[in-house]
Each structure stands twice: as C-alpha cells, then as structure tokens.
Amino acid sequence: MSGTPNKEQSGNRFLRWSVGWLNILVLIGCILITVILSLQILYPQQYARSPLLLNVQFWICICFLTDFFLRLFLHRNKLHYLLSNILFFIISIPYLNILEYYHIPISDMRYYFLHVILLLRGGYGLVVVVSWITSSRLTNLFVSYLIILIAITYFSSLLFYAIESKVNSAVSNYWDALWWASMDVTTVGSEVNPVTSTGRILSVMLAVLGMCMFPILTAFITNKYQEIKPLSSKLSNREAD
C-alpha cells in the first residue's frame, strides 16, 4: 500500500512532463498548418486540397486534442477546466477531414478559414513556450503579442490575396497583398484598396490590431528604460568617484 502513492506521483509527473512537451508539439503543429495554408493559397494548382496535406492536418488535430484531454485529466476541477477551455476543444476538431470523409463540399474560403481557426489553438502553446524563455511578465506579454501580430498580418495577407487577386486589379501578386497588410497594421494605409466585403473587414481588423499594439509597445519600452536608467546612474556615479 505504501508504494501506491509513489507510483501515482511518478505517473502524474510523467503526465505533466508530457504536457510540457505537447506545448512544443502544438507550436510545431501550428507552423505546419501555416506552411500547408501558404502552399494551398500561393500554389493552388499543385497543392489545392492535397490528400497528403489533409492527412498531416488530421494528425496535427489529434495532437491538439491529446493536449486538451491530458490537461483535462490532470486538472483538479475537471468541470471548471472543461467550461473554461471548451473553445480549445472546438477549434481542435479536424473539421476538414470530417467533411472530406462524408464528401461534403465547401467553398475555398471556408476551406481556408477552417485552416486558420486551427492556428488559434497554437496561441496557448506559444504563450507557454515564451514563458519558458523569459522571466519578465511584461516581456512575455510583449513577445507573445508581437509574434501574434506578425502571424495575423501574414494570415490576413494570404486571405486577402486569395480573395482579392481574382477581382482586384491592384493585387497582381502575393507581395501586393503583403504590402497592403503591413501598411494597414501600422495604420499608415496603402494604395491597395479592397473591393470585397471580406477584404474590407480584414482592413478594419488589422488597423484595430495595430492600434491595440501601440500601448503594449510603449509600456514595454518605458519599463525597459526605467530598468536601465538606475544602472546607468550608478555607472556614472562610479566614474565620477
């Protein structure tokens, strides 16, 4: 009987260790989803709805779901965890594989959108991995937001290209879409104007996201300045002595 708690503790340690590594796998899965989405949008003739890429996406979803259920198993209040993280479960389901299995047709935009929502699942893994690297909460927040900002800008440029390239003469290649996204997120604006409703929504979303980032950037720079200023004052005093 005395050995039972030790076995349980060892098992829990192993499971918690597994959760840590699953964070990294979730992050790798998001990178793979990004590559798959990029190939399908930029090179539709070769990779549009590729069975191989669809299988890769399926196993990435399995990784996401394994992470979710392992955390649910380890959590003390399982109902509270389930209710608080139900969104993670919903966006981890391999919808594309289910639709493919039942031969349910969907439009290209919905197909791309189902790829994009999987990337939201990687946000949590990203925050956790960043927290391993840095000890400052403000630095964690800044780095996480910066990476998320770059990621959203990139995905918006891909979707904008997929939507607008067929109807907008100002979008002749992907670089036009990337220029549009970069200028919109900095709230500078560009000569590329969206002509579709989805394109206009993306324009507003990027502008709002860029404006939300400025206070975080200002707070980060101010905090770092306050940390460096006392050190520089001490050095000046030592030199004076």
Side-chain angles (χ1 to χ4, degrees):
M1 295 294 291
S2 60
T4 303
N6 292 332
K7 288 182 180 179
E8 290 179 357
Q9 289 174 5
S10 299
N12 285 337
R13 282 197 211 100
F14 174 76
L15 290 175
R16 294 184 188 283
W17 176 84
S18 301
V19 167
W21 282 101
L22 273 172
N23 285 324
I24 297 176
L25 290 179
V26 166
L27 201 54
I28 293 173
C30 287
I31 294 172
L32 289 175
I33 289 290
T34 302
V35 173
I36 291 171
L37 182 63
S38 301
L39 289 173
Q40 290 180 333
I41 289 180
L42 298 178
Y43 305 100
Q45 294 180 347
Q46 297 96 318
Y47 298 104
R49 310 200 182 200
S50 164
L52 174 61
L53 297 183
L54 200 61
N55 288 333
V56 172
Q57 185 260 169
F58 171 76
W59 288 108
I60 292 171
C61 288
I62 294 299
C63 175
F64 291 171
L65 290 172
T66 302
D67 178 70
F68 174 83
F69 284 112
L70 187 55
R71 290 178 185 278
L72 176 63
F73 176 76
L74 291 172
H75 205 275
R76 292 181 180 178
N77 190 337
K78 292 178 172 50
L79 180 60
H80 178 267
Y81 179 86
L82 183 63
L83 295 176
S84 301
N85 297 274
I86 190 65
L87 180 61
F88 286 153
F89 172 75
I90 293 172
I91 62 180
S92 299
I93 297 172
Y95 295 105
L96 290 175
N97 299 88
I98 295 172
L99 293 171
E100 183 71 18
Y101 181 80
Y102 288 103
H103 304 289
I104 300 174
I106 57 172
S107 65
D108 287 340
M109 281 313 303
R110 290 178 181 175
Y111 187 85
Y112 298 145
F113 176 75
L114 289 175
H115 272 97
V116 171
I117 64 170
L118 283 176
L119 298 166
L120 300 176
R121 183 62 182 85
Y124 183 81
L126 171 65
V127 171
V128 172
V129 171
V130 169
S131 67
W132 293 351
I133 300 171
T134 59
S135 57
S136 169
R137 288 186 178 181
L138 184 59
T139 303
N140 290 344
L141 180 66
F142 175 72
V143 174
S144 299
Y145 268 75
L146 183 61
I147 295 174
I148 291 171
L149 177 68
I150 294 171
I152 292 178
T153 302
Y154 176 68
F155 299 135
S156 297
S157 69
L158 284 175
L159 293 177
F160 189 80
Y161 175 71
I163 299 166
E164 297 277 334
S165 61
K166 300 173 183 178
V167 295
N168 193 337
S169 59
V171 184
S172 58
N173 53 58
Y174 169 70
W175 301 110
D176 292 331
L178 184 60
W179 171 258
W180 161 84
S182 301
M183 292 298 100
D184 264 36
V185 80
T186 56
T187 67
V188 174
S190 70
E191 67 279 5
V192 179
N193 295 314
V195 298
T196 63
S197 298
T198 306
R200 295 188 184 102
I201 292 172
L202 288 173
S203 293
V204 174
M205 182 192 73
L206 282 176
V208 171
L209 185 66
M211 287 187 290
C212 291
M213 272 297 298
F214 288 127
I216 298 172
L217 176 62
T218 303
F220 178 75
I221 293 174
T222 303
N223 179 266
K224 288 300 178 184
Y225 175 75
Q226 290 174 348
E227 290 178 358
I228 295 172
K229 189 176 179 180
L231 294 175
S232 61
S233 299
K234 289 181 181 179
L235 290 174
S236 299
N237 292 335
R238 287 180 182 177
E239 290 177 358
D241 293 339

